[in-house]
Amino acid sequence: MQWSNVLASRSSRMKASEIRELLKLLDQPDIISFAGGIPDPALFPVDAFKEAFSEALTTQAKAALQYSVSEGYKPLRDWIAGEMAKIGIPCDAGNILITSGSQQALDYLGKLMLSPKDTALVGWPTYLGALGAFNAYEPNYDRLDPKANRTGADFAATAAAAGGRVKFAYLSVDFANPTGETMDRGAREAVIDLADEMDIAIIEDAAYQTLRFDGQAIPPILALEIARKGSIEDCRTLYCGSFSKSLAPGLRVGWICAAKEIVGRLVLMKQAADLHSSTANQIVTHKVASTIFNAHVAKLRATYMARRDHLLAALAREMPKGVEWTKPEGGMFIWLTLPKGVDGAELLAKSLQSERVAFVPGRAFFADGSNGNTLRLSFSCANEAQIDEGMKRLGRLIRDNT
Ligand code: PMP
C-alpha cells in the first residue's frame, strides 16, 4: 500500500518532531530529566480518586458507564461555572463545554475557525501542542508581539497576501508553556483592543492558571472583556481550562468557557468527533473537585514553588555569563536563552551523551523554527538533589560549548 497516495493534504503538516527520538532516551534510569512538562505523579490525590470511583460505581454505576450528553456532566459544568465566577467570569453551565483535556479544545477551535491559508496569531514562542493542533487545519502563523505595535490593518494585509484571513489570536496567559511568563494586564487589554478592531476571536489557554505561587493575580482576558462589555454573551474570548495540572491529566477532563452561541456550535463538533467525554471520569472529577480542590491546589503550589526556587538558585550558581532565564510566578517551566550560536538541539544531543541531562530544545516552539539558542526546563518532577546535580552538569556543558 502506497499510503502517500491516499493522504489528505492536511496530513503533510502533522509531523513527528525530531526531538521526540532523542527524548525517547528519557526512560533510562540514569538520566536527570527537566524535559517532561507533566505533573509530579507523587502528588496525585490518589485516595480521593479511589473513593470517588468507588462511590460512583456503587451509587451511580448505570449513569457512570452509560453514554451521556455532548455538553458534559451538568453538575461538573455547574461547579466549573462557579469557579469561573470567582475569577471574574460570571456565567452558567450553558457557557461550558466539557472536552477531553484542553488539547481537544484547541483542536476543535482550529477545526471550527481555520480554513487552509487562514492566519492564526500566536506568541513567539508558543505551546507546541497548540501549533500541532492548529497545523492539521493548514494555517499560516503571524507573530503576536505586544511590543511590536503592529496594527490590525498590518496583520490583515499579511494574512490576505498569504491567501486567507486572520481568524484568532491564541495566547497562553499565565506561566506560559514554554517560557513560564505571564502576560501583564496592559498586554491583555491590548489583545482585546486588537481583536475588537479586527473582529477576530481570542483563544485564552489557561492550562496553568491555578498554579500561581506568588505575585499578583491578573484577571483572565475573558474577565477583562466581560468587564468592558457587560456579559459573556457579547465576548469574543474562548477560555480553555483544564484539570490536568490541578488534579490529574490521565482523566482527560478540560473545558471551554465562552458565549452560548459559539458553545452551541462546539457542542455539535463534539458530537461529531467523540459524542462526549468519558462519563465516569466527569462524575469522578466533579466529586473530587467539589471536595478537595482548594486544599489540593494549595499543596501543589507549595511543592512546585519550592522546586522553582531551588532551580532559580541553581541556575544563578551554575550558569555561565551570557545565559539568561525567566523568573516565573507559577506553573512548571523556566526558559533559557543561550549565547547566540549555541543550538539547543545540538546541546541536547551532547547532553544526553556526556552529561545525561535532558531538557526540551526551544526551536520547536517557534512557528517559524527560529531562535534555536533556547531551551525549556521543567521543575515539576525534579527533586533538590537532581536540580543541583543537573544544573551543575548543564552549566558545565554550556560553558564548554560557548
Ligand atoms: N495548553 C498548554 C499550554 C499545555 O501546556 C497543555 C499540556 N501540557 C495543554 C494545553 C493541554 O493539556 P490537557 O489536554 O491535558 O488539558
Side-chain angles (χ1 to χ4, degrees):
M1 173 82 204
Q2 190 56 264
W3 288 107
S4 57
N5 289 337
V6 298
L7 298 182
S9 60
R10 75 182 76 91
S11 69
S12 69
R13 297 276 296 266
M14 301 170 173
K15 286 201 190 100
S17 82
E18 62 198 61
I19 56 168
R20 279 181 83 98
E21 289 305 309
L22 285 172
L23 295 178
K24 277 186 192 156
L25 297 171
L26 294 191
D27 288 343
Q28 298 175 8
D30 65 325
I31 297 253
I32 302 177
S33 178
F34 302 92
I38 56 175
D40 184 344
L43 297 170
F44 291 151
V46 177
D47 290 338
F49 276 114
K50 265 188 197 162
E51 215 171 288
F53 268 111
S54 165
E55 195 188 316
L57 292 177
T58 309
T59 62
Q60 291 170 265
K62 287 181 181 158
L65 300 176
Q66 188 55 281
Y67 286 117
S68 55
V69 294
S70 301
E71 288 84 343
Y73 180 56
K74 176 76 168 29
L76 178 62
R77 289 159 62 225
D78 285 334
W79 186 86
I80 292 170
E83 291 298 300
M84 300 299 295
K86 290 182 198 160
I87 52 171
I89 302 173
C91 63
D92 61 48
N95 298 106
I96 311 286
L97 167 70
I98 303 295
T99 54
S100 296
S102 56
Q103 188 65 30
Q104 185 176 55
L106 299 177
D107 175 44
Y108 286 175
L109 294 171
K111 195 181 212 175
L112 186 70
M113 292 187 271
L114 293 170
S115 297
K117 297 187 182 167
D118 277 339
T119 289
L121 305 182
V122 297
W124 238 243
T126 203
Y127 167 50
L128 192 54
L131 297 176
F134 302 150
N135 279 346
Y137 305 105
E138 304 175 84
N140 294 305
Y141 295 104
D142 202 350
R143 180 179 185 171
L144 193 63
D145 177 2
K147 290 181 207 111
N149 270 332
R150 283 175 70 197
T151 64
D154 292 338
F155 285 118
T158 308
R165 297 185 44 208
V166 179
K167 292 295 182 63
F168 59 75
Y170 164 81
L171 302 134
S172 182
V173 285
D174 291 305
F175 336 119
N177 181 359
T179 62
E181 286 179 325
T182 296
M183 272 179 88
D184 65 29
R185 189 178 180 128
R188 295 179 196 212
E189 297 279 11
V191 168
I192 302 174
D193 291 339
L194 179 75
D196 280 348
E197 180 194 341
M198 299 187 71
D199 197 22
I200 60 170
I202 299 168
I203 301 177
E204 176 170 33
D205 185 331
Y208 299 88
Q209 199 261 337
T210 48
L211 293 182
R212 174 173 282 283
F213 313 148
D214 44 23
Q216 195 72 41
I218 303 168
I221 295 178
L222 181 52
L224 295 171
E225 198 187 1
I226 292 172
R228 286 188 191 193
K229 297 176 183 170
S231 160
I232 189 171
E233 306 309 336
D234 297 320
C235 289
R236 57 181 72 253
T237 302
L238 302 130
Y239 178 105
C240 301
S242 176
F243 288 104
S244 290
K245 309 303 185 308
S246 54
L247 292 179
L251 296 170
R252 311 307 301 132
V253 183
W255 70 92
I256 300 175
C257 177
K260 288 184 178 131
E261 182 183 348
I262 200 73
V263 168
R265 284 188 178 270
L266 289 161
V267 169
L268 298 178
M269 195 156 277
K270 177 95 187 147
Q271 221 162 49
D274 65 349
L275 301 180
H276 61 80
S277 293
S278 154
T279 318
N281 289 359
Q282 292 184 71
I283 290 176
V284 162
T285 297
H286 172 248
K287 281 189 200 300
V288 172
S290 55
T291 47
I292 63 152
F293 193 79
N294 289 340
H296 182 66
V297 169
K299 186 172 132 189
L300 295 180
R301 287 190 192 122
T303 309
Y304 291 144
M305 177 170 162
R307 291 177 188 170
R308 174 207 60 183
D309 290 343
H310 206 80
L311 181 51
L312 285 173
L315 284 164
R317 218 173 39 240
E318 305 292 353
M319 287 301 132
K321 267 212 170 65
V323 179
E324 290 171 7
W325 55 91
T326 56
K327 318 251 174 343
E329 293 182 338
M332 297 182 171
F333 305 111
I334 291 179
W335 178 250
L336 262 67
T337 304
L338 308 167
K340 282 231 154 35
V342 182
D343 184 83
E346 286 170 19
L347 200 70
L348 176 64
K350 286 182 188 157
S351 179
L352 289 174
Q353 211 165 44
S354 63
E355 302 291 349
R356 311 298 279 164
V357 172
F359 48 82
V360 180
R363 192 190 302 282
F365 297 97
F366 292 87
D368 65 351
S370 62
N371 290 275
N373 63 322
T374 51
L375 60 89
R376 188 192 76 180
L377 296 175
S378 169
F379 50 81
S380 57
C381 293
N383 65 33
E384 294 190 351
Q386 289 167 326
I387 290 173
D388 288 341
E389 182 59 27
M391 289 309 108
K392 197 160 134 188
R393 295 184 195 176
L394 186 61
R396 178 168 67 204
L397 185 73
I398 295 173
R399 200 171 300 115
D400 289 351
N401 284 276
T402 47

